[in-house]
Amino acid sequence: MTTTSAGPHVHGLGEPYKRKEDARFIRGKGNYVDDIQLPGMLYADIVRSPYAHALIKSIDISKALQVPGVVAVITGKDLEAAGLAWMPTLSGDSEAVLAVDRVLYQMQEVAFVVAESRYAAADGAAAVEVDYDPLPVVVDPHKALAPDAPLLRPDKKDRQPTNQIYHWETGDRAATDAAFAEAEQNGVVVRQDMYVPRIHPAPIETCGCVADYNAATGKLTVWMTSQAPHAHRTLFAIVSGLPEHRIRVISPDVGGGFGNKVPIYPGYVCAVVAALKTGRPVKWIEDRTENLTSTGFARDYHIHAEIAADKEGTVKALRVYTLADHGAFDAAAQPTKFPAGLFHICTGSYDFKHAHVAVDAVHTNKAPGGIAYRCSFRVTEASYLIERMMDTLAREVGKDPAEIRLQNFIKPEAFPYRSALGWTYDSGNYERALRLAMEKIGYEELRREQAEKRARGELMGIGISSFTEIVGAGPGKHFDIAGIQMFDSCEIRVHPTGKVLARIGVQTQGQGHETTFAQIIAAELGISPDDVDVEHGDTDTAPYGLGTYASRSTPVGGAATAVAARKIRDKARKIAAYLLEVGEEDLEWEPGRFYVRGSPSKGKTIQEIAFAAYTNCPPYLEPGLEAVNYYDPPNLTYPFGSYICVVDIDRGTGEVHIRRFLAVDDCGTVINPMIVEGQIHGGLTQGLAPALYEQLAYDEDGNVLGSNFQDYLIPTAMETPRWETARTVTPSPHHPIGAKGVGESPTVGAPQAIANAVVDALAHVGVRHIDIPITPWKVWAILKEKGLAT
Ligand code: CDP
């Protein structure tokens, strides 16, 4: 067939194409790990420590083994005998799979019970008798560093006798100190302590797995709620000694990850051990309390930040010291080379000449972990501190928070911009985003309204956050997880009839990759996304990838997909030239077809070319139409945004009401604006949560105070305001389609817009900072102290 038309409309980039995956989700046909049922499957439950710190004197499993239906009980000593009592964490620490002689946090795993039913497993777990000898507990990281603090990790012989995990610093200390000395004399210095509390990723689907070992083939299959199936397979191979090609990790539909499903948890390892021991498949699924109390947390950064500026408020230097609470084991997923990850972005959107950052990480008697999105490689903490500090500086020099930002932004012509901490921002136009936000929300009018209300004694605040994000790790030479370089991949097969199967190394947890990655291929090849199926999450079939977290899918996996599609197009051009009997250089491309330059009616569609690839391929080419790309990005991408929040404060209750929240985001080229909008709504809600509600708190004895959704507050539709959104587009110059990541931006940018708004409402009575979550109680106490409570 030849055609002179511009080809079919293919719903490529920039189109709000409906999510292909929703067809199964809205019909209830999603396939989550707890939906997996295998013949003869056993069920597991975990015996967990009630103490935050204790010696284990003895474990008696005899009564548990008598519980009807209980098949086996595994203890730390059993694992020790098999050399499996300890597993490596993503940060290179060693974590107890099951505690052998000491527990280090409440809810730590002590024994693993497998039974014919989940109920029998729970009864068996209740019948395990553990004799503990309680030890002094450390929950405050400052106290953990005290010389007389109990030593939590006597197993770490290399760093005795201290609870410190690492000291890390970056930047130019001497130049930064000199800039501060100068500002002390001739400018201004602002300082603020702030705590970014421990929160939990809190996905609706908790963690779990089904492990199945086939003794006849020697193959282990693990269905698990994994955000990084290939990395998990490699770690399983290293820990278990099983050959990697005989391990298959399948991550089926995942009900939210937010970083919670990047670490390997003891339950996964125990399920595998139990499957090997019993010869039967074993399912382990956490309940809500287990998920909130024992799996990877986010944040827990105690920050002291200082800005040196001139008298006009032009910033000169940033100095930050942070004490990071990593809990009992250092299991944060951070690149080996940067233990505080992308905390480097703390100079934000501003043109600092000098910066110095130091971080000390310590052990406490809390659960280990710490991972992206709700922790975002520490970007959230960095962005929060700089945006809070810019407001503090504005107050100090008597300027409006918008004015101080406009004055200090990195200018559009300065990109690519090298930050004081040595990172190269790819592209940005911060002033355009903030001005758009101010115009859309009616900033000047809001300031007038605020002044009038203040005169009447009403409390209204306006908060700004003009954040810069940093997403899309690699490059592989700088970034790794457990040593594995952070590239990503795509494999495309065009079948003879022109239909496409694409397999990608990243793994969706609800972000819509089956749609957006199909749209990238649609745009590159001129094939409708309906004709492109995207598969992921099965290590036996998908190409090796480092997983989905920290908004890396589009910057890395999306780039791999575009490059693989371009390889297909390159080969298609050769086949078209052969079929049309012209030189390759005589061909023009339009979506879906090549045609002869000057003779638009003489052409071949991509479907015709695909058919020829299998039926009439040029003799000098290999038959078939397939390509694979492993993409190692040359740089990260730097999405950004300007958010403005308007709050009213109830003087009677201290309650903060978010009246308006406008988010201007820039993630470069947008693949699917509807999906991006959804990502931003979800991310904003996850940014609202720590600002006003969420905190994983502990009492002095290490008891977790928020172990269910009644005590650990996540916002529902009732608390969530109507988000207003707008967009600017500043493409990434190094990404094949100019796209930057987006999912993480709103959760990084939102908390400080809300915090700044609340502080702004109270600034006239001298309030400079309130630690998040800004609860009604905290606000009411301030109102009372300032004589404003009614
Ligand atoms: O890594 P993760 O998928 O969580 O984050 P992301 O790369 O920010 O992508 C989230 C979703 O938004 C994916 O479906 C992306 O393809 C889509 N997206 C988009 O349509 N346009 C962009 N510029 C960035 C992301």
Side-chain angles (χ1 to χ4, degrees):
M1 180 188 76
T2 54
T3 170
T4 55
S5 81
H9 183 71
V10 294
H11 307 287
L13 303 183
E15 296 218 14
Y17 198 67
K18 280 198 176 167
R19 287 171 28 121
K20 287 155 66 82
E21 44 272 82
D22 283 351
R24 67 175 186 279
F25 292 139
I26 59 175
R27 288 177 171 91
K29 297 289 181 195
N31 184 36
Y32 298 90
V33 71
D34 203 17
D35 294 324
I36 308 288
Q37 294 294 339
L38 299 180
M41 193 166 72
L42 298 171
Y43 299 80
D45 202 358
I46 294 180
V47 179
R48 293 174 182 275
S49 169
Y51 293 100
H53 195 193
L55 294 176
I56 297 175
K57 294 205 293 195
S58 64
I59 301 177
D60 183 351
I61 62 168
S62 56
K63 290 198 180 109
L65 287 171
Q66 283 160 21
V67 171
V70 168
V71 175
V73 179
I74 298 168
T75 64
K77 285 224 168 6
D78 299 327
L79 294 181
E80 202 172 41
L84 290 171
W86 296 85
M87 61 180 184
T89 70
L90 296 176
S91 284
D93 194 0
S94 36
E95 176 174 352
V97 178
L98 293 173
V100 177
D101 52 11
R102 172 190 292 260
V103 287
L104 288 169
Y105 61 95
Q106 190 179 55
M107 296 293 278
Q108 186 177 343
E109 297 81 357
V110 174
F112 194 79
V113 180
V114 280
E116 299 290 347
S117 73
R118 186 158 185 171
Y119 302 99
D123 289 346
V128 173
E129 289 174 354
V130 187
D131 192 5
Y132 296 98
D133 190 0
L135 293 170
V137 172
V138 191
V139 288
D140 179 343
H142 301 92
K143 291 186 183 158
L145 283 179
D148 59 345
L151 188 63
L152 303 186
R153 294 291 305 278
D155 59 304
K156 300 310 280 186
K157 306 267 185 271
D158 51 333
R159 46 178 152 87
Q160 299 305 324
T162 168
N163 291 315
Q164 183 164 8
I165 303 169
Y166 64 75
H167 173 83
W168 171 76
E169 32 181 293
T170 186
D172 187 335
R173 182 195 282 266
T176 304
D177 288 350
F180 271 87
E182 163 66 17
E184 297 279 9
Q185 294 296 317
N186 302 312
V188 293
V189 173
V190 286
R191 302 186 162 84
Q192 186 61 56
D193 287 322
M194 52 190 93
Y195 174 49
V196 187
R198 177 178 275 237
I199 61 170
H200 195 274
I204 294 302
E205 182 203 33
T206 60
C207 297
C209 70
V210 176
D212 183 26
Y213 181 69
N214 184 329
T217 61
K219 183 132 187 170
L220 171 70
T221 304
V222 189
W223 289 261
M224 62 191 279
T225 53
S226 170
Q227 289 178 242
H230 282 99
H232 285 168
R233 183 189 67 186
T234 301
L235 289 173
F236 272 130
I238 291 169
V239 171
S240 68
L242 290 172
E244 193 165 357
H245 66 297
R246 299 250 168 79
I247 302 175
R248 180 180 188 183
V249 174
I250 303 174
S251 188
D253 287 326
V254 176
F258 316 118
N260 192 228
K261 293 164 183 176
V262 180
I264 292 198
Y265 297 118
Y268 299 146
V269 179
C270 289
V272 170
V273 172
L276 290 165
K277 184 179 161 97
T278 62
R280 292 168 64 178
V282 174
K283 178 184 276 190
W284 165 71
I285 306 284
E286 285 175 336
D287 66 23
R288 176 65 52 201
T289 296
E290 292 178 296
N291 182 249
L292 282 171
T293 54
S294 71
T295 61
F297 67 94
R299 309 198 194 10
D300 223 342
Y301 260 32
H302 298 256
I303 299 171
H304 175 76
E306 302 171 286
I307 288 180
D310 67 16
K311 286 204 169 73
E312 294 303 308
T314 299
V315 298
K316 302 293 177 193
L318 176 73
R319 196 159 56 190
V320 181
Y321 174 72
T322 288
L323 186 57
D325 185 343
H326 280 229
F329 303 105
D330 184 19
Q334 295 296 348
T336 323
K337 296 186 179 70
F338 320 110
L342 300 177
F343 198 55
H344 285 102
I345 199 73
C346 62
T347 52
S349 310
Y350 310 102
D351 191 12
F352 282 93
K353 298 295 175 228
H354 309 289
H356 181 258
V357 176
V359 180
D360 282 314
V362 297
H363 288 302
T364 58
N365 290 118
K366 297 178 188 166
I371 191 71
Y373 187 54
R374 301 301 298 287
C375 156
S376 59
F377 282 163
R378 306 304 189 183
V379 177
T380 315
E381 295 89 325
S383 179
Y384 174 79
L385 89 84
I386 188 62
E387 289 303 309
R388 279 271 49 248
M389 289 306 289
M390 291 307 282
D391 264 34
T392 308
L393 177 64
R395 306 265 176 248
E396 183 70 22
V397 297
K399 289 193 172 176
D400 185 277
E403 189 187 345
I404 205 86
R405 286 176 168 80
L406 291 165
Q407 177 183 336
N408 284 295
F409 277 150
I410 299 160
K411 302 283 176 269
E413 58 276 13
F415 290 90
Y417 170 85
R418 197 170 158 80
S419 77
L421 292 176
W423 294 71
T424 303
Y425 294 16
D426 59 347
S427 63
N429 190 331
Y430 304 143
E431 177 170 345
R432 182 170 63 179
L434 178 54
R435 289 211 186 277
L436 179 65
M438 291 168 73
E439 181 196 312
K440 286 211 165 274
I441 205 157
Y443 189 75
E444 301 304 332
E445 183 48 40
L446 285 168
R447 283 286 174 210
R448 273 194 290 280
E449 182 192 342
Q450 183 188 34
E452 283 164 24
K453 289 205 158 141
R454 213 169 253 178
R456 293 200 300 267
E458 292 174 41
L459 297 175
M460 166 187 167
I462 306 161
I464 300 177
S465 163
S466 288
F467 65 94
T468 292
E469 249 276 49
I470 174 168
V471 300
K477 64 176 184 289
H478 297 312
F479 287 88
D480 66 278
I481 287 294
I484 307 166
Q485 293 192 350
M486 294 184 77
F487 55 82
D488 234 289
S489 60
C490 174
E491 176 200 288
I492 299 177
R493 293 182 187 174
V494 185
H495 303 316
T497 52
K499 309 296 181 195
V500 177
L501 173 66
R503 288 174 164 152
I504 55 178
V506 292
Q507 157 66 31
T508 187
Q509 308 114 41
Q511 295 95 327
H513 295 171
E514 290 166 39
T515 307
T516 49
F517 282 60
Q519 283 180 272
I520 294 173
I521 295 169
E524 295 293 335
L525 297 182
I527 293 174
S528 164
D530 266 348
D531 290 341
V532 181
D533 273 358
V534 175
E535 287 184 3
H536 48 76
D538 183 340
T539 57
D540 263 12
T541 54
Y544 204 104
L546 267 291
T548 293
Y549 38 85
S551 281
R552 65 182 298 277
S553 300
T554 306
V556 194
T561 304
V563 173
R566 285 174 193 178
K567 286 188 182 175
I568 297 271
R569 207 167 68 197
D570 287 347
K571 183 167 181 187
R573 176 186 285 273
K574 293 186 197 308
I575 298 171
Y578 171 76
L579 296 175
L580 294 163
E581 297 178 344
V582 293
E584 282 179 54
E585 62 287 355
D586 297 323
L587 291 177
E588 293 284 348
W589 168 256
E590 64 183 7
R593 72 189 277 270
F594 283 104
Y595 64 90
V596 179
R597 186 174 305 114
S599 305
S601 63
K602 219 180 151 209
K604 290 289 174 193
T605 66
I606 194 82
Q607 289 78 10
E608 290 169 321
I609 296 167
F611 198 69
Y614 295 88
T615 58
N616 182 21
C617 193
Y620 45 85
L621 288 181
E622 286 177 21
L625 197 53
E626 300 185 3
V628 60
N629 180 250
Y630 283 74
Y631 188 83
D632 187 2
N635 190 6
L636 294 120
T637 68
Y638 293 74
F640 59 94
S642 265
Y643 295 172
I644 302 184
C645 173
V646 184
V647 300
D648 298 299
I649 294 178
D650 186 322
R651 287 178 52 188
T653 62
E655 207 171 344
V656 173
H657 169 66
I658 297 178
R659 195 202 311 171
R660 288 186 71 188
F661 193 109
L662 175 77
V664 173
D665 271 282
D666 192 319
C667 58
T669 305
V670 171
I671 302 163
N672 185 322
M674 181 193 68
I675 286 180
V676 165
E677 183 84 354
Q679 292 287 301
I680 289 171
H681 279 222
L684 290 172
T685 307
Q686 296 213 16
L688 160 70
L692 297 186
Y693 307 108
E694 271 180 295
Q695 176 168 11
L696 209 48
Y698 290 76
D699 71 12
E700 289 277 294
D701 296 324
N703 295 306
V704 191
L705 301 180
S707 59
N708 56 62
F709 282 155
Q710 269 186 316
D711 298 329
Y712 184 79
L713 301 183
I714 56 171
T716 68
M718 294 295 286
E719 291 81 20
T720 305
R722 195 179 73 83
W723 306 116
E724 302 169 58
T725 58
R727 188 180 317 127
T728 59
V729 176
T730 313
S732 168
H734 64 76
H735 189 279
I737 59 167
K740 304 180 179 186
V742 74
E744 191 179 271
S745 288
T747 201
V748 163
Q752 53 272 25
I754 298 167
N756 284 348
V758 178
V759 173
D760 184 64
L762 298 164
H764 61 297
V765 291
V767 175
R768 291 287 173 269
H769 181 73
I770 309 171
D771 272 333
I772 56 172
I774 303 178
T775 58
W777 168 250
K778 281 187 196 168
V779 178
W780 189 83
I782 292 169
L783 296 176
K784 188 119 177 89
E785 182 200 321
K786 304 286 180 189
L788 290 171
T790 57

